[in-house]
mmCIF file of all heavy atoms in Angstrom:
data_model
loop_
_atom_site.group_PDB
_atom_site.id
_atom_site.type_symbol
_atom_site.label_atom_id
_atom_site.label_comp_id
_atom_site.label_asym_id
_atom_site.label_seq_id
_atom_site.Cartn_x
_atom_site.Cartn_y
_atom_site.Cartn_z
ATOM 1 N N ARG A 1 36.482 -197.006 9.264
ATOM 2 C CA ARG A 1 35.219 -196.859 8.519
ATOM 3 C C ARG A 1 35.171 -195.505 7.818
ATOM 4 O O ARG A 1 34.659 -195.417 6.686
ATOM 5 C CB ARG A 1 34.029 -196.981 9.481
ATOM 6 C CG ARG A 1 32.651 -196.974 8.844
ATOM 7 C CD ARG A 1 31.573 -197.308 9.851
ATOM 8 N NE ARG A 1 30.275 -197.427 9.189
ATOM 9 C CZ ARG A 1 29.201 -197.946 9.767
ATOM 10 N NH1 ARG A 1 29.257 -198.365 11.022
ATOM 11 N NH2 ARG A 1 28.055 -197.982 9.125
ATOM 12 N N HIS A 2 35.659 -194.467 8.475
ATOM 13 C CA HIS A 2 35.752 -193.170 7.814
ATOM 14 C C HIS A 2 36.639 -193.217 6.596
ATOM 15 O O HIS A 2 36.349 -192.570 5.533
ATOM 16 C CB HIS A 2 36.266 -192.134 8.818
ATOM 17 C CG HIS A 2 36.297 -190.720 8.237
ATOM 18 N ND1 HIS A 2 35.229 -189.862 8.348
ATOM 19 C CD2 HIS A 2 37.289 -190.097 7.594
ATOM 20 C CE1 HIS A 2 35.608 -188.696 7.769
ATOM 21 N NE2 HIS A 2 36.826 -188.845 7.313
ATOM 22 N N ARG A 3 37.741 -193.967 6.689
ATOM 23 C CA ARG A 3 38.694 -193.992 5.585
ATOM 24 C C ARG A 3 38.200 -194.841 4.413
ATOM 25 O O ARG A 3 38.844 -194.830 3.307
ATOM 26 C CB ARG A 3 40.049 -194.561 6.080
ATOM 27 C CG ARG A 3 40.791 -193.647 7.036
ATOM 28 C CD ARG A 3 42.132 -194.264 7.451
ATOM 29 N NE ARG A 3 42.996 -194.448 6.290
ATOM 30 C CZ ARG A 3 44.226 -194.986 6.368
ATOM 31 N NH1 ARG A 3 44.671 -195.418 7.549
ATOM 32 N NH2 ARG A 3 44.989 -195.137 5.284
ATOM 33 N N LEU A 4 37.107 -195.552 4.590
ATOM 34 C CA LEU A 4 36.529 -196.286 3.458
ATOM 35 C C LEU A 4 36.019 -195.335 2.382
ATOM 36 O O LEU A 4 35.969 -195.682 1.192
ATOM 37 C CB LEU A 4 35.446 -197.229 3.948
ATOM 38 C CG LEU A 4 35.844 -198.459 4.808
ATOM 39 C CD1 LEU A 4 34.612 -199.179 5.265
ATOM 40 C CD2 LEU A 4 36.764 -199.368 4.013
ATOM 41 N N HIS A 5 35.486 -194.189 2.818
ATOM 42 C CA HIS A 5 34.794 -193.280 1.915
ATOM 43 C C HIS A 5 35.616 -192.032 1.530
ATOM 44 O O HIS A 5 35.504 -191.514 0.423
ATOM 45 C CB HIS A 5 33.485 -192.828 2.566
ATOM 46 C CG HIS A 5 32.667 -194.006 3.035
ATOM 47 N ND1 HIS A 5 32.010 -194.885 2.200
ATOM 48 C CD2 HIS A 5 32.417 -194.455 4.315
ATOM 49 C CE1 HIS A 5 31.358 -195.808 2.900
ATOM 50 N NE2 HIS A 5 31.580 -195.553 4.181
ATOM 51 N N GLU A 6 36.451 -191.578 2.471
ATOM 52 C CA GLU A 6 37.270 -190.392 2.206
ATOM 53 C C GLU A 6 38.482 -190.410 3.104
ATOM 54 O O GLU A 6 38.568 -191.150 4.071
ATOM 55 C CB GLU A 6 36.458 -189.126 2.424
ATOM 56 C CG GLU A 6 35.889 -189.003 3.824
ATOM 57 C CD GLU A 6 35.035 -187.773 3.981
ATOM 58 O OE1 GLU A 6 35.222 -186.834 3.169
ATOM 59 O OE2 GLU A 6 34.244 -187.659 4.932
ATOM 60 N N SER A 7 39.474 -189.551 2.764
ATOM 61 C CA SER A 7 40.698 -189.501 3.568
ATOM 62 C C SER A 7 40.408 -188.905 4.942
ATOM 63 O O SER A 7 39.440 -188.124 5.067
ATOM 64 C CB SER A 7 41.736 -188.633 2.838
ATOM 65 O OG SER A 7 41.268 -187.362 2.586
ATOM 66 N N TYR A 8 41.188 -189.287 5.870
ATOM 67 C CA TYR A 8 41.015 -188.830 7.263
ATOM 68 C C TYR A 8 42.099 -187.809 7.567
ATOM 69 O O TYR A 8 43.305 -187.997 7.356
ATOM 70 C CB TYR A 8 41.166 -190.016 8.231
ATOM 71 C CG TYR A 8 40.831 -189.671 9.663
ATOM 72 C CD1 TYR A 8 39.547 -189.801 10.125
ATOM 73 C CD2 TYR A 8 41.791 -189.257 10.526
ATOM 74 C CE1 TYR A 8 39.227 -189.534 11.478
ATOM 75 C CE2 TYR A 8 41.514 -188.962 11.843
ATOM 76 C CZ TYR A 8 40.238 -189.107 12.336
ATOM 77 O OH TYR A 8 39.900 -188.812 13.616
ATOM 78 N N GLU A 9 41.652 -186.641 8.111
ATOM 79 C CA GLU A 9 42.575 -185.570 8.422
ATOM 80 C C GLU A 9 42.727 -185.438 9.929
ATOM 81 O O GLU A 9 41.775 -185.311 10.652
ATOM 82 C CB GLU A 9 42.086 -184.233 7.816
ATOM 83 C CG GLU A 9 43.050 -183.083 8.034
ATOM 84 C CD GLU A 9 42.583 -181.808 7.357
ATOM 85 O OE1 GLU A 9 41.528 -181.869 6.712
ATOM 86 O OE2 GLU A 9 43.325 -180.779 7.469
ATOM 87 N N TRP A 10 44.016 -185.430 10.391
ATOM 88 C CA TRP A 10 44.311 -185.285 11.797
ATOM 89 C C TRP A 10 44.385 -183.831 12.172
ATOM 90 O O TRP A 10 44.341 -182.942 11.316
ATOM 91 C CB TRP A 10 45.609 -186.015 12.159
ATOM 92 C CG TRP A 10 45.529 -187.474 11.981
ATOM 93 C CD1 TRP A 10 45.951 -188.205 10.887
ATOM 94 C CD2 TRP A 10 45.052 -188.420 12.935
ATOM 95 N NE1 TRP A 10 45.731 -189.560 11.067
ATOM 96 C CE2 TRP A 10 45.186 -189.724 12.330
ATOM 97 C CE3 TRP A 10 44.502 -188.336 14.205
ATOM 98 C CZ2 TRP A 10 44.796 -190.884 12.976
ATOM 99 C CZ3 TRP A 10 44.127 -189.476 14.848
ATOM 100 C CH2 TRP A 10 44.253 -190.696 14.225
ATOM 101 N N ALA A 11 44.513 -183.550 13.457
ATOM 102 C CA ALA A 11 44.548 -182.177 13.921
ATOM 103 C C ALA A 11 45.755 -181.404 13.428
ATOM 104 O O ALA A 11 45.694 -180.198 13.270
ATOM 105 C CB ALA A 11 44.509 -182.167 15.450
ATOM 106 N N ASP A 12 46.867 -182.142 13.210
ATOM 107 C CA ASP A 12 48.090 -181.449 12.740
ATOM 108 C C ASP A 12 48.105 -181.269 11.225
ATOM 109 O O ASP A 12 49.117 -180.822 10.648
ATOM 110 C CB ASP A 12 49.336 -182.224 13.151
ATOM 111 C CG ASP A 12 49.318 -183.679 12.669
ATOM 112 O OD1 ASP A 12 48.355 -184.039 11.978
ATOM 113 O OD2 ASP A 12 50.299 -184.404 12.956
ATOM 114 N N GLY A 13 47.028 -181.639 10.530
ATOM 115 C CA GLY A 13 46.944 -181.471 9.109
ATOM 116 C C GLY A 13 47.354 -182.677 8.286
ATOM 117 O O GLY A 13 47.205 -182.655 7.060
ATOM 118 N N THR A 14 47.815 -183.730 8.957
ATOM 119 C CA THR A 14 48.231 -184.937 8.230
ATOM 120 C C THR A 14 46.990 -185.689 7.758
ATOM 121 O O THR A 14 46.003 -185.780 8.441
ATOM 122 C CB THR A 14 49.058 -185.856 9.165
ATOM 123 O OG1 THR A 14 50.151 -185.145 9.739
ATOM 124 C CG2 THR A 14 49.567 -187.085 8.409
ATOM 125 N N ARG A 15 47.097 -186.176 6.536
ATOM 126 C CA ARG A 15 45.987 -186.911 5.938
ATOM 127 C C ARG A 15 46.323 -188.367 5.719
ATOM 128 O O ARG A 15 47.406 -188.698 5.232
ATOM 129 C CB ARG A 15 45.589 -186.280 4.579
ATOM 130 C CG ARG A 15 44.758 -185.026 4.725
ATOM 131 C CD ARG A 15 44.307 -184.491 3.377
ATOM 132 N NE ARG A 15 43.336 -183.458 3.480
ATOM 133 C CZ ARG A 15 42.010 -183.629 3.605
ATOM 134 N NH1 ARG A 15 41.536 -184.860 3.597
ATOM 135 N NH2 ARG A 15 41.171 -182.607 3.715
ATOM 136 N N ASP A 16 45.371 -189.230 6.061
ATOM 137 C CA ASP A 16 45.480 -190.656 5.770
ATOM 138 C C ASP A 16 44.565 -191.021 4.628
ATOM 139 O O ASP A 16 43.383 -190.682 4.653
ATOM 140 C CB ASP A 16 45.105 -191.469 6.985
ATOM 141 C CG ASP A 16 46.090 -191.344 8.137
ATOM 142 O OD1 ASP A 16 47.269 -190.927 7.844
ATOM 143 O OD2 ASP A 16 45.771 -191.632 9.287
ATOM 144 N N ASN A 17 45.096 -191.612 3.582
ATOM 145 C CA ASN A 17 44.343 -191.913 2.400
ATOM 146 C C ASN A 17 43.268 -192.935 2.613
ATOM 147 O O ASN A 17 43.255 -193.639 3.619
ATOM 148 C CB ASN A 17 45.276 -192.364 1.281
ATOM 149 C CG ASN A 17 46.290 -191.262 0.878
ATOM 150 O OD1 ASN A 17 45.960 -190.093 0.937
ATOM 151 N ND2 ASN A 17 47.463 -191.690 0.467
ATOM 152 N N THR A 18 42.361 -193.054 1.641
ATOM 153 C CA THR A 18 41.307 -194.021 1.743
ATOM 154 C C THR A 18 41.855 -195.423 1.594
ATOM 155 O O THR A 18 42.906 -195.643 1.022
ATOM 156 C CB THR A 18 40.216 -193.786 0.643
ATOM 157 O OG1 THR A 18 40.886 -193.840 -0.644
ATOM 158 C CG2 THR A 18 39.622 -192.391 0.831
ATOM 159 N N VAL A 19 41.127 -196.411 2.136
ATOM 160 C CA VAL A 19 41.542 -197.811 2.073
ATOM 161 C C VAL A 19 40.370 -198.614 1.508
ATOM 162 O O VAL A 19 39.215 -198.221 1.577
ATOM 163 C CB VAL A 19 41.960 -198.329 3.432
ATOM 164 C CG1 VAL A 19 43.175 -197.657 3.960
ATOM 165 C CG2 VAL A 19 40.790 -198.217 4.429
ATOM 166 N N ALA A 20 40.694 -199.780 0.941
ATOM 167 C CA ALA A 20 39.661 -200.710 0.445
ATOM 168 C C ALA A 20 39.050 -201.457 1.611
ATOM 169 O O ALA A 20 39.604 -201.605 2.675
ATOM 170 C CB ALA A 20 40.267 -201.678 -0.555
ATOM 171 N N ALA A 21 37.842 -201.939 1.380
ATOM 172 C CA ALA A 21 37.123 -202.659 2.424
ATOM 173 C C ALA A 21 37.904 -203.944 2.828
ATOM 174 O O ALA A 21 37.934 -204.298 4.020
ATOM 175 C CB ALA A 21 35.717 -203.043 1.958
ATOM 176 N N SER A 22 38.489 -204.574 1.857
ATOM 177 C CA SER A 22 39.238 -205.842 2.161
ATOM 178 C C SER A 22 40.454 -205.502 3.068
ATOM 179 O O SER A 22 40.723 -206.253 3.982
ATOM 180 C CB SER A 22 39.699 -206.493 0.859
ATOM 181 O OG SER A 22 40.477 -205.610 0.102
ATOM 182 N N TYR A 23 41.124 -204.381 2.740
ATOM 183 C CA TYR A 23 42.300 -204.031 3.536
ATOM 184 C C TYR A 23 41.876 -203.602 4.967
ATOM 185 O O TYR A 23 42.539 -203.912 5.967
ATOM 186 C CB TYR A 23 43.065 -202.926 2.887
ATOM 187 C CG TYR A 23 44.385 -202.516 3.609
ATOM 188 C CD1 TYR A 23 45.378 -203.481 3.815
ATOM 189 C CD2 TYR A 23 44.578 -201.261 4.035
ATOM 190 C CE1 TYR A 23 46.547 -203.165 4.461
ATOM 191 C CE2 TYR A 23 45.767 -200.884 4.692
ATOM 192 C CZ TYR A 23 46.724 -201.855 4.921
ATOM 193 O OH TYR A 23 47.888 -201.506 5.594
ATOM 194 N N ALA A 24 40.781 -202.899 5.063
ATOM 195 C CA ALA A 24 40.288 -202.504 6.382
ATOM 196 C C ALA A 24 39.900 -203.760 7.223
ATOM 197 O O ALA A 24 40.165 -203.772 8.460
ATOM 198 C CB ALA A 24 39.095 -201.568 6.249
ATOM 199 N N HIS A 25 39.313 -204.706 6.600
ATOM 200 C CA HIS A 25 39.042 -205.992 7.289
ATOM 201 C C HIS A 25 40.308 -206.613 7.806
ATOM 202 O O HIS A 25 40.349 -207.149 8.902
ATOM 203 C CB HIS A 25 38.277 -206.953 6.352
ATOM 204 C CG HIS A 25 36.793 -206.756 6.355
ATOM 205 N ND1 HIS A 25 35.958 -207.591 7.041
ATOM 206 C CD2 HIS A 25 36.009 -205.854 5.770
ATOM 207 C CE1 HIS A 25 34.679 -207.196 6.866
ATOM 208 N NE2 HIS A 25 34.683 -206.175 6.094
ATOM 209 N N ASN A 26 41.336 -206.620 6.938
ATOM 210 C CA ASN A 26 42.593 -207.230 7.307
ATOM 211 C C ASN A 26 43.242 -206.487 8.511
ATOM 212 O O ASN A 26 43.845 -207.088 9.382
ATOM 213 C CB ASN A 26 43.570 -207.276 6.149
ATOM 214 C CG ASN A 26 43.122 -208.268 5.099
ATOM 215 O OD1 ASN A 26 42.378 -209.206 5.344
ATOM 216 N ND2 ASN A 26 43.568 -208.026 3.836
ATOM 217 N N LEU A 27 43.135 -205.132 8.486
ATOM 218 C CA LEU A 27 43.686 -204.356 9.600
ATOM 219 C C LEU A 27 43.020 -204.678 10.915
ATOM 220 O O LEU A 27 43.726 -204.795 11.922
ATOM 221 C CB LEU A 27 43.575 -202.861 9.297
ATOM 222 C CG LEU A 27 44.400 -202.309 8.127
ATOM 223 C CD1 LEU A 27 44.087 -200.833 7.910
ATOM 224 C CD2 LEU A 27 45.884 -202.471 8.478
ATOM 225 N N ILE A 28 41.717 -204.848 10.906
ATOM 226 C CA ILE A 28 40.969 -205.175 12.132
ATOM 227 C C ILE A 28 41.335 -206.606 12.545
ATOM 228 O O ILE A 28 41.486 -206.924 13.765
ATOM 229 C CB ILE A 28 39.488 -204.971 11.957
ATOM 230 C CG1 ILE A 28 39.173 -203.492 11.775
ATOM 231 C CG2 ILE A 28 38.713 -205.559 13.164
ATOM 232 C CD1 ILE A 28 37.706 -203.199 11.518
#
């Protein structure tokens, strides 16, 4: 849900880009 609006940053500095709502539904 966080990645729907902005990228997610982990503690080590790695960033996960945003995803579309359809792709997030498919992941779940």
Side-chain angles (χ1 to χ4, degrees):
R1 185 171 185 169
H2 181 90
R3 291 182 62 182
L4 291 176
H5 309 288
E6 57 181 341
S7 59
Y8 187 89
E9 184 175 358
W10 294 96
D12 58 359
T14 305
R15 281 185 170 273
D16 292 339
N17 297 329
T18 58
V19 295
S22 58
Y23 184 58
H25 273 259
N26 290 337
L27 291 176
I28 293 179

